[in-house]
Amino acid sequence: MSLEIVLVYQSLLGIYGDQGNAKVLLKRAQWRGIDATLTQVEPGDALPDSGDIFLLGGGEDGAQTSAVRLLKADGGLHRAVDRDAVVFAVCAGYQILGHSFGVGDADDLREGLGLLDVTTTRGPERAVGEILTHWNGHEGEQAWLTGFENHGGYTALGPQATPLATVEVGIGNGDGTEGAVQGKVLGTYPHGPVLARNPALADHLLEQALGHGLDPLERWEHDELRRQRLAAVRG
Ligand code: GLN
């Protein structure tokens, strides 16, 4: 099967390097002999109805407000969710998938895309620094997720969404949980890029899109990166 990875609005949601998540998915699929392609969609382009995994990254308040307006007009992300495609969104991308999010010091409320049952408002302090979480429902060394968070918004989950992980170090959603999962829509706060730091999460997204499991890939340099990042955050 071929796999189309769609990187959405890198020019708006690309300041934290989250576009690296697209490269990680592409390479991990290709290393397994899967015919994977990357489609980059910028404002003004239509989102393809053929995409299998849609990726959104972090960005400033203004950029995320523009992105949500464009994505509503396009409608392609809603169609993607309706046909059970995978959506993986980081930080600002995560916030705009929710019902609403606050921007600026006044926490002005903006309507989101409503694809995740979450709402985001300003928290008591900006969350900046290394974050370590434990991936809910997963065991072993790969269940530790590391990344770098930098956000003012804190996110509350409604009953349709479940937290992706539990916070060990850092802020995440702001209530001890991190990220949200609803069907094949996943949102999370860490940058890194998070899929470079956590290959098991990358493989989970590939498996969700492909509809079957994947054999593990042995890459010593990925293990070494994880060892260093885990040691750094654990202190
Ligand atoms: N502007 C949002 C916030 O500060 C998202 C920031 C980000 O994407 N890193 O909460």
Side-chain angles (χ1 to χ4, degrees):
M1 176 196 162
S2 65
L3 194 75
E4 183 179 3
I5 297 154
V6 183
L7 181 58
V8 180
Y9 300 166
Q10 192 195 318
S11 60
L12 287 173
L13 302 173
I15 59 160
Y16 292 90
D18 300 312
Q19 54 273 36
N21 289 329
K23 290 189 186 147
V24 172
L25 290 174
L26 190 69
K27 293 311 289 184
R28 293 187 74 80
Q30 290 173 343
W31 284 334
R32 292 174 163 108
I34 296 163
D35 174 23
T37 57
L38 175 60
T39 303
Q40 299 206 36
V41 178
E42 286 300 335
D45 303 336
L47 267 66
D49 283 328
S50 49
D52 298 297
I53 305 180
F54 291 76
L55 298 171
L56 293 90
E60 307 93 328
D61 292 4
Q64 70 187 114
T65 304
S66 302
V68 83
R69 182 173 45 77
L70 291 160
L71 287 168
K72 265 187 194 171
D74 182 279
L77 211 53
H78 289 85
R79 288 195 298 279
V81 173
D82 286 346
R83 62 184 171 78
D84 217 20
V86 173
V87 178
F88 181 68
V90 176
C91 203
Y94 169 31
Q95 295 177 356
I96 66 173
L97 291 184
H99 301 299
S100 61
F101 56 96
V103 295
D105 292 340
D107 203 15
D108 291 328
L109 222 55
R110 301 271 184 273
E111 196 179 284
L113 296 168
L115 294 171
L116 268 180
D117 187 15
V118 305
T119 52
T120 300
T121 51
R122 295 281 107 172
E125 57 174 325
R126 191 167 181 87
V128 184
E130 288 289 317
I131 177 168
L132 175 68
T133 68
H134 194 268
W135 190 6
N136 294 337
H138 292 256
E139 307 258 310
E141 207 274 336
Q142 297 300 325
W144 293 106
L145 304 178
T146 85
F148 184 84
E149 62 180 337
N150 183 356
H151 54 100
Y154 285 34
T155 300
L157 275 60
Q160 314 277 331
T162 43
L164 174 69
T166 304
V167 175
E168 189 83 4
V169 178
I171 305 279
N173 290 329
D175 62 356
T177 70
E178 203 300 296
V181 183
Q182 191 171 332
K184 291 187 186 170
V185 182
L186 280 84
T188 189
Y189 272 109
H191 308 287
V194 69
L195 298 185
R197 289 213 195 176
N198 305 283
L201 187 58
D203 285 351
H204 173 73
L205 299 177
L206 291 173
E207 288 175 346
Q208 291 236 299
L210 292 163
H212 60 76
L214 291 169
D215 290 334
L217 279 175
E218 300 299 331
R219 298 272 154 169
W220 68 265
E221 61 274 38
H222 297 173
D223 296 340
E224 178 58 16
L225 173 67
R226 279 185 62 72
R227 193 192 62 73
Q228 289 184 15
R229 298 322 308 170
L230 287 166
V233 69
R234 284 175 174 146

